[in-house]
């Protein structure tokens, strides 16, 4: 059994007022008032689509010569001839150099299989590097929306700039996806999603809209949950705006699960069955390549993407191979089990893969896409520092190996990007967090949630408190949003983009703070 740790999330939330909620009614009327879900019915429970492309389109994992194009058929298209006989459906796709499809460079077709929920993962090859493309699908004469994507730069090329954004934590019930609408407008080269793409059960104390059901366990349950999320027009717009690189955290399966250990009463066998269902649904709904097709409860999620010689992206999976949270989970003062060499976050194979890849990377920047906080942040409770056992602080020997590796092997410009805690942080990675004189070996930028936790707040008082106890902390903020990054040979610039509210529509976007990392100078500086 684990204790549920909400401390990190509750620190900063400012609860919406009654007046805010009076403007948002729950249920169908509310959904329509909030911009509507065209072509589908939004009663709690069943969702019926007229449009086979009612879940939108997406692309992902860009390589220099191609990307994977994604859609997932819904409605009558999945029952050819009107019978649900489970026959495969042929889906055509085309890729063009312009959004009007005057200059089509490739076409093809692929079978959407009932076994994979009529999802389409078309791996397009033979495209030119570092170029924008537009794509669309067609099934039985019905066309899909158009998506924009972009290939990675050629392996040896040094692009002047790479622009990417990262985001995480989109509890559907807790808030609207206004931030994703703004993210779509950014038209970045790459969007990295660091997990909590869905939530498996209700966490929001105040709900602006509702999941289709209670907690999800089976494949059908997870499919219905993703359908609820994927029907959101702002999420669809963000997917259609740029290729995504995704990696899950805990809520795609079960809150705070660790390897084969469930949050609550499930046995290992039950959790592995649940994980298999969850991973299959994740694959069906994400623009992932064939290499990520799950096999039972196993899914190859740690992987690398190369953006020319400018940047290498090391994508981690900190859930599938980790040992259980030590010391009963939750936030704890220093406890022996957290210092045990038996505790692992990545597992042996992934740790070696990460170190090997960092050591061999010739890229100017090494960005590590990671789920949970690496840095040690002391939070004082009854005069004692406590740390979340779900984060790298519960796996201290392995964290120290990573910090020592960064300090000794010195891979070029390591920058960790992190999600999970529904707040923004800019932190220096130190060889020894308890020693202010200790060497800085990298930077960690934590993106806030897109919607989880509701409106949140700027947390200025909290920031002062945290910074007093943690001199390596530069910035904290508890609003919602995403982080937009621009990478050049000289610096990586991170803009913390935030919206002032998510419990009602039309929030404007703004930049709350900007931090930079300069080439050859580890750590974050105010930009
Ligand atoms: Fe989350
Ligand atoms: Ca999480």
């Amino acid at each position: 059994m684990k204790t549920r740790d909400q401390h990190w999330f509750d620190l900063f939330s400012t609860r919406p007022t009654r007046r805010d909620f009076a403007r948002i009614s729950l249920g169908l009327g509310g959904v329509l008032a909030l911009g509507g879900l065209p072509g589908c019915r939004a009663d709690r429970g069943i969702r019926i689509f007229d449009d086979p492309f009612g879940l939108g389109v997406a692309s992902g994992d860009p390589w220099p010569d191609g990307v994977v194009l994604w859609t997932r058929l819904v409605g009558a298209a999945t029952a050819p001839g009107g019978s649900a006989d489970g026959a495969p459906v042929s889906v055509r796709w085309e890729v063009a150099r312009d959004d009007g499809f005057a200059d089509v460079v490739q076409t093809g077709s692929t079978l959407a299989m009932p076994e994979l929920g009529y999802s389409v993962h078309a791996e397009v090859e033979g495209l030119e590097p570092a170029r924008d493309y537009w794509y669309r699908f067609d099934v039985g004469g019905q066309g899909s929306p158009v998506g924009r994507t972009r290939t990675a730069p050629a392996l040896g090329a040094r692009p002047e700039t790479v622009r990417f954004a990262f985001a995480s934590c989109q509890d559907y019930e807790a808030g609207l996806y206004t931030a994703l609408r703004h993210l779509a407008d950014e038209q970045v080269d790459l969007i990295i999603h660091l997990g909590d793409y869905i939530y498996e059960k209700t966490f929001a104390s105040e709900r602006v809209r509702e999941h289709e059901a209670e907690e999800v366990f089976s494949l059908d349950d997870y499919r219905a949950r993703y359908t609820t999320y994927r029907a959101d027009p702002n999420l669809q717009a963000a997917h259609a705006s740029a290729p995504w690189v995704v990696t899950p955290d805990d809520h795609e399966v079960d809150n705070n699960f660790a390897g084969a250990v469930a949050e609550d009463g499930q046995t290992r066998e039950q959790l592995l069955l649940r994980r298999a269902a969850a991973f299959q649904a994740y694959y069906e709904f994400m623009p992932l390549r064939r290499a990520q097709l799950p096999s039972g409860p196993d899914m190859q999620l740690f992987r690398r993407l190369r953006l020319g010689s400018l940047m290498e992206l090391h994508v981690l999976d900190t859930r599938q191979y980790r040992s259980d949270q030590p010391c009963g989970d939750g936030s704890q003062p220093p406890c022996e089990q957290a210092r045990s060499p038996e505790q692992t976050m990545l597992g042996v194979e992934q740790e070696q893969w990460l170190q090997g890849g960092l050591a061999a990377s010739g890229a100017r920047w090494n960005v590590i896409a990671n789920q949970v906080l690496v840095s040690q942040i002391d939070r004082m409770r009854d005069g004692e520092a406590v740390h979340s056992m779900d984060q790298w602080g519960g796996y201290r020997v392995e964290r120290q190996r990573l910090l020592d590796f960064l300090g000794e092997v010195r891979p070029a410009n390591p920058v960790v990007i992190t999600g999970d805690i529904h707040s923004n942080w800019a932190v220096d990675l130190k060889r020894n967090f308890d020693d202010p004189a200790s060497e800085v070996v990298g930077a960690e930028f934590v993106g806030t949630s897109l919607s989880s936790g509701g409106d949140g707040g700027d947390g200025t008082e909290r920031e002062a408190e945290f910074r007093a106890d943690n001199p390596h902390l530069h910035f904290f903020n508890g609003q919602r949003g995403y982080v937009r990054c621009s990478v050049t040979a000289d610096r990586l610039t991170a803009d913390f983009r935030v919206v002032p509210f998510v419990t009602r529509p039309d929030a404007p976007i703004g930049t709350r703070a900007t931090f930079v990392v300069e080439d050859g100078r580890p750590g974050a500086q105010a930009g």
Side-chain angles (χ1 to χ4, degrees):
M1 293 284 277
K2 303 178 189 217
T3 52
R4 187 167 140 205
D5 180 19
Q6 281 290 311
H7 305 293
W8 285 82
F9 311 129
D10 290 342
L11 286 173
F12 336 111
S13 54
T14 50
R15 297 272 173 238
T17 63
R18 280 283 134 211
R19 186 171 46 85
D20 292 336
F21 274 91
R23 289 190 231 152
I24 304 169
S25 59
L26 289 173
L28 180 60
V31 169
L32 293 177
L34 294 171
L37 301 167
C40 79
R41 212 173 63 198
D43 308 278
R44 191 164 159 101
I46 290 174
R47 209 176 268 279
I48 294 170
F49 294 86
D50 300 324
D51 179 356
F53 300 105
L55 299 179
V57 300
S59 68
D61 280 29
W63 292 352
D65 68 335
V67 296
V68 56
L69 304 179
W70 174 94
T71 190
R72 190 177 183 283
L73 303 179
V74 285
T78 63
S83 69
D85 61 0
V89 178
S90 177
V91 183
R92 273 177 44 80
W93 51 263
E94 55 184 347
V95 176
R97 280 201 268 231
D98 63 310
D99 60 359
F101 291 81
D103 186 9
V104 172
V105 293
Q106 275 196 50
T107 61
S109 70
T110 179
L111 282 182
M113 303 294 291
E115 292 83 355
L116 288 173
Y118 294 96
S119 57
V120 171
H121 301 81
E123 289 188 39
V124 179
E125 296 168 356
L127 302 179
E128 293 168 49
R131 183 178 236 300
D132 284 356
Y133 288 95
W134 286 263
Y135 61 94
R136 64 187 176 191
F137 300 91
D138 177 288
V139 63
Q142 253 184 298
S144 78
V146 171
R148 171 222 174 230
T149 191
R150 185 173 177 83
T151 47
L155 287 183
R158 161 77 61 88
E160 207 157 287
T161 312
V162 166
R163 294 176 70 249
F164 72 91
F166 65 96
S168 61
C169 295
Q170 50 191 33
D171 184 345
Y172 181 84
E173 298 187 314
L176 305 174
Y177 295 160
T178 320
L180 283 163
R181 171 64 63 176
H182 292 296
L183 176 53
D185 292 339
E186 305 272 8
Q187 299 274 298
V188 289
D189 300 337
L190 192 67
I191 293 171
I192 303 163
H193 198 289
L194 298 171
D196 292 357
Y197 189 100
I198 57 157
Y199 282 70
E200 83 286 8
K201 62 185 176 190
T202 291
F203 287 89
S205 49
E206 307 263 21
R207 288 179 278 174
V208 301
R209 49 189 182 172
E210 289 188 297
H211 287 152
E212 76 296 331
E214 304 295 335
E215 186 163 4
V216 293
F217 294 94
S218 70
L219 176 57
D220 282 348
D221 292 346
Y222 282 102
R223 283 171 167 167
R225 181 59 42 91
Y226 279 97
T227 299
T228 297
Y229 281 61
R230 251 347 219 309
D232 183 283
N234 292 338
L235 178 56
Q236 291 186 11
H239 272 293
S241 76
W244 285 41
V245 173
V246 299
T247 186
D249 190 25
D250 53 336
H251 291 293
E252 284 84 350
V253 180
D254 178 33
N255 181 48
N256 280 20
F257 87 97
V261 182
E263 179 191 23
D264 35 39
Q266 291 190 293
T267 63
R268 291 178 67 85
E269 292 72 21
Q270 288 168 333
L271 193 272
L272 288 176
L273 283 171
R274 185 179 189 182
R275 206 174 87 186
F279 280 0
Q280 177 167 342
Y282 187 72
Y283 176 78
E284 288 180 7
F285 281 84
M286 294 297 135
L288 288 167
R289 290 178 178 269
R290 280 185 292 273
Q292 276 67 52
L293 179 68
S295 172
D298 304 318
M299 192 171 190
Q300 180 65 50
L301 287 157
F302 64 85
R303 59 200 193 276
R304 266 187 268 280
L305 288 108
R306 182 93 189 196
L307 298 160
S309 62
L310 188 60
M311 171 174 149
E312 183 133 51
L313 179 66
H314 311 260
V315 181
L316 300 188
D317 172 355
T318 59
R319 287 287 164 194
Q320 201 175 166
Y321 314 103
R322 72 153 85 184
S323 44
D324 197 13
Q325 291 88 351
C327 316
D329 206 350
S331 288
Q332 308 290 350
C335 59
E336 205 174 318
Q337 204 190 342
R339 298 178 193 280
S340 162
E342 304 287 299
Q343 283 297 113
T344 182
M345 179 62 98
L346 299 176
V348 175
E349 189 194 340
Q350 184 177 195
E351 184 182 18
Q352 286 173 357
W353 168 89
L354 176 62
Q355 290 195 1
L358 286 169
S361 166
R364 176 67 65 102
W365 296 89
N366 283 286
V367 175
I368 301 171
N370 160 67
Q371 288 79 11
V372 294
L373 190 71
V374 172
S375 301
Q376 175 177 303
I377 298 289
D378 289 350
R379 283 180 38 228
M380 304 311 286
R381 191 170 72 196
D382 306 328
E384 197 174 27
V386 298
H387 306 117
S388 165
M389 294 297 103
D390 187 54
Q391 301 169 356
W392 282 76
Y395 304 79
R396 294 176 68 126
V397 172
E398 189 168 313
R399 175 171 68 185
Q400 196 58 52
R401 272 203 303 273
L402 175 61
L403 297 168
D404 288 344
F405 175 85
L406 296 181
E408 279 156 25
V409 178
R410 298 193 165 274
N413 298 318
V415 176
V416 177
I417 58 173
T418 300
D420 181 50
I421 45 176
H422 309 172
S423 42
N424 288 316
W425 306 71
V427 201
D428 287 342
L429 292 174
K430 305 204 60 149
R431 195 82 178 261
N432 177 359
F433 288 103
D434 293 318
D435 174 10
S438 167
E439 140 192 46
V440 175
V441 296
E444 181 171 21
F445 292 125
V446 184
T448 185
S449 68
L450 288 158
S451 62
S452 305
D455 287 336
D458 69 10
T460 308
E461 283 166 39
R462 285 284 179 183
E463 185 185 43
E465 194 183 305
F466 291 142
R467 291 190 63 185
D469 297 320
N470 300 278
H472 50 285
L473 172 65
H474 297 284
F475 171 62
F476 163 81
N477 173 55
Q479 292 167 303
R480 305 298 157 235
Y482 54 88
V483 183
R484 180 183 67 192
C485 296
S486 166
V487 187
T488 65
D490 297 335
R491 64 181 53 80
L492 181 149
T493 305
D495 295 320
F496 290 88
R497 305 278 281 161
V498 297
V499 289
F501 50 85
V502 294
T503 56
R504 53 190 202 278
D506 300 329
I509 190 84
T511 299
R512 174 73 169 70
T514 296
F515 281 84
V516 301
V517 181
E518 285 178 9
D519 173 41
R521 191 174 160 191
Q525 305 168 53

